[in-house]
Structure formats: C-alpha cells, structure tokens
Amino acid sequence: MPERRTVALVTLGCARNEVDSEELAGRLAADGWELVENAEDADVAVVNTCGFVEAAKKDSVDALLEANDLKDHGRTQAVVAVGCMAERYGKELADALPEADGVLGFDDYADISNRLQVILSGGSVEAHTPRDRRKLLPLSPVERQQAAASVALPGHGDTAEAPEAAVAAVPPANVPSDLPEGLAPASGPRAPLRRRLDTSPVASVKLASGCDRRCSFCAIPSFRGSFVSRRPSDVLNETRWLAEQGVKEIMLVSENNTSYGKDLGDIRLLESLLPELAAVDGLERVRVSYLQPAEMRPGLIDVLTSTEKVVPYFDLSFQHSAPDVLRAMRRFGDTDRFLELLETIRSKAPTAGARSNFIVGFPGETEADFKELERFVTHARLDAIGVFGYSDEDGTEAATYEHKLPQDVVDERLAHLSRLAEELTAQRAEERIGETLEVLVESFDEEEDGWIGRAAHQAPETDGQVIVTADSAEGLGLAPGRMVRVEVVATEGVDLVAECLMAEEAGR
C-alpha cells in the first residue's frame, strides 16, 4: 500500500482564498493525499496566506510561525506558504522566514502534490520569484481567454477553451472511476477540481480572477493579474456540484464581479448567468459580492433586485466619497452620485442589503474631505461598514504620493469614523425590527441559546447575523441548511434577534 500522506490547509484572508484552498485540496486529494482538519495532525501544513494589508500579512506570518511550532511536538514535518503573500513576496518571504520549508506561488499550484512530496521528503523547492502578473496576458480583454492557457489562474483549472458568448449548460464530463468521493468532477478542460473543507451550507464560487482597475492604493492586480472571467458553463456546473453536496447558498466572488464577461464578448453576461444559477436544483440563494459602483448598470440592478433566489445584496466598493480623494485613488464618483445609486437600488428593493469599506487618512485628504465622507456614511444607511486607516503598500502609486498625513491624524480619523459606523449600522439594524425575513440556519449557539443564521442582507462573516430564539424554534426541527421565516424582535448591535413564525409558515 502507498505510504499515508496527510495535509492540512490553513486559510487566511478573503473568500477568494477559501476557494483557492478548496482547489488545492481537490488537487491533493486526487493525487492520494489525506486531508485533515488540524495542522497538528498533518505531515504538511499548507498556509494559504493573505497579502492585502499589513495586518493581514502579520496574521499570515503568525500562522506560519504557529504551524512551525508544531514540528516540535506534533506530527507536522513541514510548513509551506502559498497564497497572495507568498505570490507577492516569494524569495523575500523565504529569506525573512526560514521557518517556512517552502514558499510556493500560483505557478506551483498545478503541480502542488509533487512540490509537497519533495519538501516532505527533505528536499528543497526553489522559492517563488515574484513577477508583475498584469504583464502575463494581452492588454485587450477579448484576447485573454485563449492566452490564459499558459498562465496559472487559481480557480480556473489548467487549460483554456474557446470563449463562450452566452450561458450554456454543459453536462459534466465522465468522472474517472478512481476519483475520490467528495471531489468535484471537472466539467470541462478548464474546470478545477475542488474538495470542500467544511460542511457549511454556504460556499463561494469564483466568477473571475484578477483586476484591470488601477486604484492607486491597491497592489492586488500586480500579484493576481489581469481580469479573466471563468466560463459560464464551469460556474454553473460547479454550482450544481455544490448543491449536490448540500450547499444552499453560493456567493459569487472575484476582485470585481461587475466586469464579468467583458473578456467573453458580453459585459452583461452576469445578468444572463444569475437566473441560470438561481434555477439550480437545491439552491436557495445566490449572492453577488465585490461590486464596483462606477460599473453598476441598470440591467444588473434590475436582475439583483427582481430575480427569485438572487438576493438583493449590494457589496459596493465606495472607498471614499470626496471627489478629490477619489480622483487621487484613481476612482470615480462623489457623495451625491453614490447616494443616488443607493436610492435607485432601494426604490426597487426597499429592504436591500448594502455594505462598503472606506479608507481614511489617504494622502492629501483634507478635513473637508473627511467631513464629506462623514456626510455620505451618515446618509447612506449601510448595513455593514468596514473602515481602514491608510498605509503605504509596496509597489502602489499612492506610496509615492506626497502630502502624507501624520499617523496620529490617520489614527484619530480611523477611530472617529469607526465609532460613527458602529452607531449607524446599529441604527440600521434597529430599522429592521418588525421585518419578516427568510433566514438560512447555519449553527446552534449554546451561549446565545438560539439558532444562528443569516438573512438576505447579510453575507458570511462580514455583515452580522440573525439569532433565532430557541423557544420560538422548538418543534420545528431546525438544522444547518434549513430556511426559516422569522420576525425581527430586537437587535444586538448589528445582529438581529428574531422569532420563528407559526410552524406552518416557518420554513423548509
């Protein structure tokens, strides 16, 4: 019998990284590796790092060091870094962190099993050499699909096919008889293998990778590359597989979902794809994240607010609202245009969910600019708000800007807007008292003495939750994956407290 090889994947960062980890898990499972949940039970601990901001980088380094400590008193023999931080820094990270036995980039994903085997056997794999991934594909989006065959794109599989101009439901290919149970069958030459790493009724599906925007504060395009859409048929087939695995809600993720289809010849392809996804048997919800305000179009708003099972949820990347700051960020818009966008959305779906992130203390941000941002946040009625203080990011245009604000000013504005955001989102939650919601149940919390779930306006991990009181749910047989109809009766900050309606109305 072949020697038992075990591997654990530790995932940090965003939902896109979670999808990448499940692709790595699929590749490893297909090659005979045994996946285990805890790093201390694994021969190799693979840490999927985040390289977005300083705090995320620190968390990634801490996770690598923590995994390395297991070598002294656990089964773990090797620790390997993958993901955005490994891709972004490569050899520099390897030199600074000798505790990592390997630093692998996206180009290593297709051969991840052999790379790990070499490391586990005591060999060495040359650390990844970073490069600007924006330069790997043609500048013109429509020329990228064929050229992408030679470029590693996590979440896309290994090879490209001719682009599709319309949604097509392609039946899954024949599954090899020796494919491990629970492994997503590749539905075409470009579809990735995937193995779920948890049993949550919610899963993310990658819609595209990379970004063509050139925001002056963001380094993501340099290490994630140019924007490349996945084929609609691959997205559909992966969603069908997830539904067969018990998933009730999918969240479409990418660096910019509003650009989906532009390299496939149809910038409105998302509007066509969403109803197809919503029709997948067993699926209860489709959620779209990462929307660019400047690219929102009337047709997309209509589909997001009127399609059954597509939730009216708007994760809008505003970042700021003062025109001068937005121009310095290489972005578009202003307070009034953003408020008009939100008004348009709510005229079609009054209870739609809306969230955003903001950067304060950007170079050159004046007190008047900050007040303008306050004005927007105060009137926007957002359900969830993330606030970040500006810091220089390696390789970004903004890092070269003059007129940097003193750190104490940045910290003061960060604290002020964070307090305001906390107050405003709590008020927004209170506005929902008395609303009737459909809640997807995810777990039972002994401490809260209630079922924990999320309504349509709440994305996983970022937007609060709904606590369904145990007394009101008694006798309904609730379990993770069930949908239940509730009435909001109270709030706890951004979280909602709710009671089930009559049993015959409650859920499915």
Side-chain angles (χ1 to χ4, degrees):
M1 290 186 62
E3 182 182 356
R4 180 173 180 253
R5 301 175 300 174
T6 57
V7 60
L9 286 128
V10 179
T11 306
L12 295 96
C14 65
R16 301 185 294 274
N17 254 18
E18 294 171 5
V19 176
D20 291 350
S21 284
E22 293 198 347
E23 180 189 351
L24 290 172
R27 292 178 182 275
L28 291 166
D31 202 44
W33 288 78
E34 180 182 341
L35 298 164
V36 295
E37 183 175 353
N38 299 314
E40 61 263 30
D41 300 324
D43 296 315
V44 183
V46 177
V47 180
N48 192 350
T49 60
C50 178
F52 181 41
V53 293
E54 284 304 318
K57 296 176 202 172
K58 182 180 183 305
D59 288 345
S60 295
V61 170
D62 289 346
L64 288 162
L65 293 174
E66 183 178 337
N68 183 70
D69 289 343
L70 297 174
K71 294 179 187 176
D72 296 330
H73 53 267
R75 179 187 176 98
T76 309
Q77 301 174 51
V79 175
V80 176
V82 299
C84 291
M85 189 176 180
E87 174 66 36
R88 185 176 180 184
Y89 294 104
K91 290 183 176 180
E92 182 182 343
L93 177 62
D95 292 341
L97 199 70
E99 291 86 352
D101 300 287
V103 176
L104 307 180
F106 298 151
D107 294 332
D108 294 302
Y109 282 20
D111 198 30
I112 188 69
S113 178
N114 287 335
R115 299 285 197 274
L116 296 191
Q117 185 59 58
V118 168
I119 293 169
L120 183 60
S121 301
S124 62
V125 174
E126 185 176 358
H128 163 68
T129 301
R131 51 182 174 166
D132 188 340
R133 300 190 75 85
R134 292 171 294 190
K135 299 178 180 179
L136 302 183
L137 291 171
L139 185 62
S140 170
V142 296
E143 297 176 5
R144 288 180 195 157
Q145 286 286 320
Q146 206 65 40
S150 60
V151 176
L153 300 171
H156 288 248
D158 296 329
T159 59
E161 267 191 8
E164 297 178 21
V167 176
V170 178
N174 291 330
V175 181
S177 59
D178 60 348
L179 199 64
E181 184 179 355
L183 194 63
S187 59
R190 186 130 180 221
L193 295 171
R194 180 171 179 174
R195 166 66 70 86
R196 295 214 68 203
L197 293 174
D198 60 39
T199 58
S200 168
V202 184
S204 295
V205 174
K206 189 170 285 191
L207 197 61
S209 63
C211 185
D212 288 341
R213 301 184 71 87
R214 293 296 179 262
C215 300
S216 62
F217 56 84
C218 183
I220 289 175
S222 66
F223 57 84
R224 277 289 184 178
S226 300
F227 185 89
V228 181
S229 302
R230 288 186 66 197
R231 293 158 25 103
S233 56
D234 286 342
V235 176
L236 276 164
N237 282 320
E238 186 172 331
T239 298
R240 293 190 184 103
W241 175 79
L242 288 167
E244 291 170 359
Q245 302 296 305
V247 169
K248 298 300 181 183
E249 175 182 326
I250 64 161
M251 184 166 71
L252 299 177
V253 299
S254 75
E255 279 72 23
N256 178 10
N257 282 332
T258 36
S259 284
Y260 180 69
K262 71 176 185 179
D263 52 328
L264 295 173
D266 185 0
I267 190 58
R268 295 176 176 82
L269 194 54
L270 183 56
E271 288 94 305
S272 303
L273 178 60
L274 285 171
E276 295 284 340
L277 293 170
V280 169
D281 287 344
L283 209 61
E284 296 287 352
R285 278 187 190 155
V286 178
R287 185 182 303 276
V288 185
S289 61
Y290 305 114
L291 301 169
Q292 286 292 339
E295 298 180 30
M296 290 301 294
R297 26 190 201 275
L300 179 56
I301 294 174
D302 287 343
V303 171
L304 288 170
T305 55
S306 65
T307 307
E308 186 178 3
K309 294 188 178 181
V310 175
V311 296
Y313 174 79
F314 293 82
D315 177 11
L316 295 160
S317 178
F318 291 120
Q319 302 299 343
H320 212 283
S321 71
D324 288 346
V325 176
L326 286 168
R327 281 194 290 271
M329 288 179 167
R330 305 290 185 201
R331 298 177 67 84
F332 308 95
D334 57 46
T335 296
D336 292 333
R337 274 189 274 184
F338 290 163
L339 290 175
E340 183 179 347
L341 172 60
L342 291 169
E343 184 179 348
T344 298
I345 290 168
R346 288 170 178 143
S347 70
K348 298 174 182 294
T351 61
R355 79 169 321 275
S356 193
N357 294 323
F358 300 95
I359 298 172
V360 299
F362 194 79
E365 181 191 63
T366 65
E367 186 65 32
D369 293 329
F370 184 66
K371 291 294 183 184
E372 184 68 2
L373 177 57
E374 278 190 282
R375 180 170 81 89
F376 172 67
V377 171
T378 300
H379 290 89
R381 295 174 59 232
L382 299 173
D383 293 279
I385 299 172
V387 186
F388 300 89
Y390 172 81
S391 62
D392 287 339
E393 281 296 313
D394 298 335
T396 62
E397 181 184 355
T400 68
Y401 285 179
E402 298 178 349
H403 309 298
K404 300 283 177 60
L405 274 63
Q407 190 60 48
D408 61 338
V409 174
V410 176
D411 293 342
E412 181 182 345
R413 292 181 181 179
L414 174 62
H416 179 82
L417 195 66
S418 296
R419 287 194 298 271
L420 178 62
E422 186 176 348
E423 294 172 6
L424 292 170
T425 52
Q427 289 174 15
R428 178 65 179 136
E430 289 175 359
E431 292 177 17
R432 295 189 181 275
I433 293 177
E435 282 188 18
T436 298
L437 305 175
E438 290 273 351
V439 172
L440 175 62
V441 176
E442 296 182 344
S443 64
F444 185 82
D445 191 311
E446 296 283 352
E447 187 173 329
E448 294 284 358
D449 190 28
W451 291 93
I452 305 300
R454 289 177 301 100
H457 69 280
Q458 297 167 316
E461 299 182 5
T462 59
D463 300 344
Q465 59 191 16
V466 179
I467 304 163
V468 182
T469 60
D471 289 345
S472 71
E474 190 173 357
L476 295 180
L478 295 192
R482 283 283 306 276
M483 295 290 292
V484 59
R485 187 180 295 274
V486 304
E487 180 181 348
V488 181
V489 297
T491 64
E492 295 180 1
V494 296
D495 295 337
L496 307 178
V497 179
E499 295 180 350
C500 291
L501 299 179
M502 296 297 292
E504 61 268 21
E505 303 176 51
R508 53 191 182 276

